[in-house]
Amino acid sequence: MSFIIGICGGSGSGKTSFIRDIRKNFPTSEVCIISQDDYYKPREEQKVDENGVKNFDLPESINMVEFASDLTKLSKGETIQRVEYTFNNEKSDPALLTITPAPVIIVEGLFVFQESNLWNKMDLKIYIEAEESSQLIRRIKRDQLERNYPLDDVLYRYQHHVKPALQLYIAPFKPKVDLVINNNISYNIGLELLTSFIRSKINK
């Protein structure tokens, strides 16, 4: 059986960069990563707020059934394929992702702790935190540069969608996890700890 690590944190907390750095330390034969970002429901199925703006920062914006199903397949040693989600960026061409099973599976996303069936499958749960100002700055940079979102849209979504989602659905899990990694300035210590821990699991 694979060892499953869940990584959660608010939007802009640094999850993507943290996991990218973990990825650099291990081949896909040792560690595989499944991201909830690739399980967003189609745009037309997303809920809208009181101003008619689609809200992607809700647990129901994710296809939890398919996500849980693919995690189960990976843990059983099956390879999965998934079309990359490009966040409605017309400048990006989605890739076909092939994820092969490995001794360690990293599960990451905003709402990976929401479903009890997912929570119970995770052997180690990690929360990445950062101050609100740091999260907002990272969100602006990412959404403007990588996702081609206008600044007004980014700020509106942060105030009306992102921040409430953090308070309602994400932050309440912080006291319940096994490890909290502070990323106000750097997550390097947390990265070293997790890298060493994963190596110990692989080398058993």
Side-chain angles (χ1 to χ4, degrees), residues 14-38:
K15 294 187 304 299
T16 300
S17 297
F18 181 81
I19 289 166
R20 187 182 297 129
D21 285 342
I22 286 288
R23 170 84 286 160
K24 293 175 184 176
N25 292 317
F26 301 96
T28 55
S29 60
E30 294 181 343
V31 175
C32 69
I33 299 168
I34 178 171
S35 174
Q36 216 170 47
D37 279 357
D38 294 312

Side-chain angles (χ1 to χ4, degrees), residues 159-190:
Q159 179 181 355
H160 297 279
H161 301 171
V162 175
K163 188 174 179 179
L166 175 64
Q167 295 169 341
L168 285 172
Y169 306 116
I170 303 168
F173 286 97
K174 180 182 171 182
K176 303 176 184 179
V177 301
D178 302 299
L179 176 65
V180 176
I181 294 175
N182 184 299
N183 187 31
N184 287 323
I185 299 174
S186 170
Y187 52 60
N188 288 342
I189 294 176

Side-chain angles (χ1 to χ4, degrees), residues 34-53:
I34 178 171
S35 174
Q36 216 170 47
D37 279 357
D38 294 312
Y39 291 81
Y40 276 99
K41 294 176 182 176
R43 185 176 177 84
E44 59 271 16
E45 294 181 24
Q46 300 293 341
K47 289 189 174 183
V48 297
D49 65 16
E50 65 275 9
N51 294 312
V53 179

Side-chain angles (χ1 to χ4, degrees), residues 109-173:
L110 292 174
F111 307 117
V112 293
F113 295 157
Q114 278 295 307
E115 300 285 331
S116 59
N117 63 323
L118 290 174
W119 175 270
N120 293 332
K121 287 181 179 180
M122 297 173 192
D123 302 293
L124 177 68
K125 303 169 187 75
I126 297 173
Y127 186 97
I128 298 181
E129 69 167 351
E131 293 176 352
E132 183 179 338
S133 58
S134 299
Q135 292 186 59
L136 177 57
I137 291 170
R138 291 169 188 154
R139 174 92 181 196
I140 291 171
K141 289 180 178 178
R142 183 195 67 191
D143 282 0
Q144 283 196 296
L145 296 176
E146 298 179 17
R147 300 177 182 175
N148 201 33
Y149 289 179
L151 179 59
D152 287 348
D153 182 69
V154 177
L155 294 176
Y156 177 90
R157 290 178 187 276
Y158 189 88
Q159 179 181 355
H160 297 279
H161 301 171
V162 175
K163 188 174 179 179
L166 175 64
Q167 295 169 341
L168 285 172
Y169 306 116
I170 303 168
F173 286 97

